[in-house]
Amino acid sequence: MTLLTKKTSFASAVALSVSSLFGAVFYASPDGKSEAEGGDGTLSNPYTLRQALGKGGWYDEVRLLESDQHYVLTADTAPIRRTLVGWNGEADSPAGVEGRSRVVIDGDEKYCLKCHIQGDTYGATYRDLTIVRGYNASGGAGGMFFANNLNDPLVFSNVVFTGACKQWHPFSITVKDASNDGKAKFLDCDFDGLTCANIGGGFLATTGAIFDGCRFVSITNNYASSLDSLGTFTRCAFTNCIFSGNIYAGYGAIKSSGSRFFDCVFTNNACSKSGSCFMLTAAGVSLDHCRFFDNRAGEYGGCFF
């Protein structure tokens, strides 16, 4: 195994093997039908995504069939307390790593995905799919995900995040308080090829989240004054994660405030200013069995600033 080979976490393996334990199961397709049009949410006659999310209740599973088309979410189709899983319709089984690139969720509102309902934030589960910020990237805010005051489990497993963003911290998750740390989990996810221009902060603003077996690769932030070019992480835990080939015009890729990194690899990251891997705050960072090599900064601190 090379340093850049991602291991599969035990938690992710369990998540991928468990089908819907609660609620109903609905199938959806980008060219599916609403109930009024004759759709019934089955594999042979799937709903639209909006109909599938509107039809069921909490803890239902929506199986998104592989397609060459994107699924588009709007403000009134938030997947509150649902499981959205990419699905291979021919095999009637999860899309897995091989099929996740053919289950793409995009959005035409300010944020691609939201968990906000009247000031409260509910969780959801996303598996075997890709979340892309594309439709609004050239014009509007172009955010990707937003959850504030989270007090429900929010799980991403085998999910790819990619695309172009124009928004201050386009991916933002905060828990309600420290007692809810760990409710947001990223298991075997890829943050791959994200790009942005002229935004005032890094991609991720995250509090109390767990990242296990994730990769952060080929990410570009062109905002020269950014102090957290990849993101700000407060009380987060990273295990067996890889940060590789990321290029930043500003400072410190990761602004850490009391976050922990175990068995992580940082390689070939570069920034124009200082601290290609970390910008440290008073709360600092905990590093255990991590490896750093071939990281570069234009000014001070090849890794840390």
Side-chain angles (χ1 to χ4, degrees):
M1 178 182 296
T2 68
L3 288 177
L4 297 186
T5 299
K6 183 180 65 176
K7 306 169 190 174
T8 300
S9 69
F10 173 77
S12 181
V14 171
L16 292 172
S17 65
V18 177
S19 59
S20 181
L21 300 178
F22 306 98
V25 173
F26 300 100
Y27 291 84
S29 169
D31 55 3
K33 300 176 181 178
S34 67
E35 209 166 44
E37 295 168 328
D40 60 13
T42 60
L43 176 60
S44 59
N45 191 18
Y47 283 142
T48 62
L49 177 56
R50 179 175 182 176
Q51 179 69 79
L53 291 173
K55 176 68 176 178
W58 286 356
Y59 311 114
D60 289 347
E61 179 171 288
V62 178
R63 295 175 175 176
L64 307 181
L65 296 173
E66 293 180 15
S67 173
D68 293 328
Q69 302 178 56
H70 287 192
Y71 290 86
V72 180
L73 280 175
T74 58
D76 58 353
T77 53
I80 305 300
R81 285 182 174 164
R82 308 290 206 283
T83 292
L84 269 65
V85 55
W87 206 258
N88 182 326
E90 292 185 3
D92 198 15
S93 63
V97 174
E98 298 79 9
R100 63 182 182 175
S101 63
R102 300 194 67 243
V103 182
V104 180
I105 296 179
D106 205 336
D108 62 1
E109 298 291 335
K110 180 179 180 181
Y111 287 94
C112 184
L113 296 172
K114 293 190 290 186
C115 283
H116 243 134
I117 293 264
Q118 296 179 348
D120 295 320
T121 296
Y122 298 106
T125 298
Y126 305 87
R127 301 201 318 261
D128 299 345
L129 49 83
T130 296
I131 296 173
V132 62
R133 179 67 272 176
Y135 276 47
N136 219 17
S138 62
M144 182 171 277
F145 188 89
F146 183 62
N148 189 35
N149 292 326
L150 182 71
N151 58 4
D152 251 8
L154 175 63
V155 180
F156 298 89
S157 180
N158 188 36
V159 173
V160 178
F161 301 90
T162 189
C165 299
K166 291 182 70 175
Q167 172 75 22
W168 184 293
H169 292 142
F171 196 107
S172 179
I173 294 176
T174 60
V175 293
K176 190 169 185 178
D177 51 45
S179 68
N180 288 285
D181 282 1
K183 288 192 173 178
K185 295 182 175 68
F186 298 82
L187 311 174
D188 296 308
C189 292
D190 290 328
F191 297 82
D192 191 348
L194 289 161
T195 63
C196 67
N198 300 320
I199 65 170
F203 284 98
L204 295 93
T206 317
T207 301
I210 292 173
F211 297 82
D212 192 340
C214 296
R215 296 193 313 146
F216 301 80
V217 298
S218 302
I219 296 172
T220 304
N221 187 336
N222 294 322
Y223 188 69
S225 298
S226 177
L227 299 179
D228 57 343
S229 297
L230 177 59
T232 297
F233 300 93
T234 304
R235 301 193 316 272
C236 293
F238 296 79
T239 301
N240 184 36
C241 293
I242 294 168
F243 301 80
S244 177
N246 303 306
I247 300 175
Y248 313 108
Y251 296 87
I254 295 173
K255 187 176 181 181
S256 171
S257 181
S259 291
R260 308 181 306 279
F261 295 78
F262 176 77
D263 195 24
C264 295
V265 175
F266 298 80
T267 180
N268 198 33
N269 302 292
C271 68
S272 298
K273 299 204 173 171
S274 303
S276 64
C277 294
F278 285 96
M279 170 168 279
L280 302 180
T281 67
V285 62
S286 173
L287 301 169
D288 188 354
H289 288 80
C290 293
R291 286 151 287 176
F292 298 83
F293 53 95
D294 294 334
N295 300 292
R296 305 173 303 281
E299 295 180 356
Y300 307 106
C303 286
F304 300 92
F305 179 70

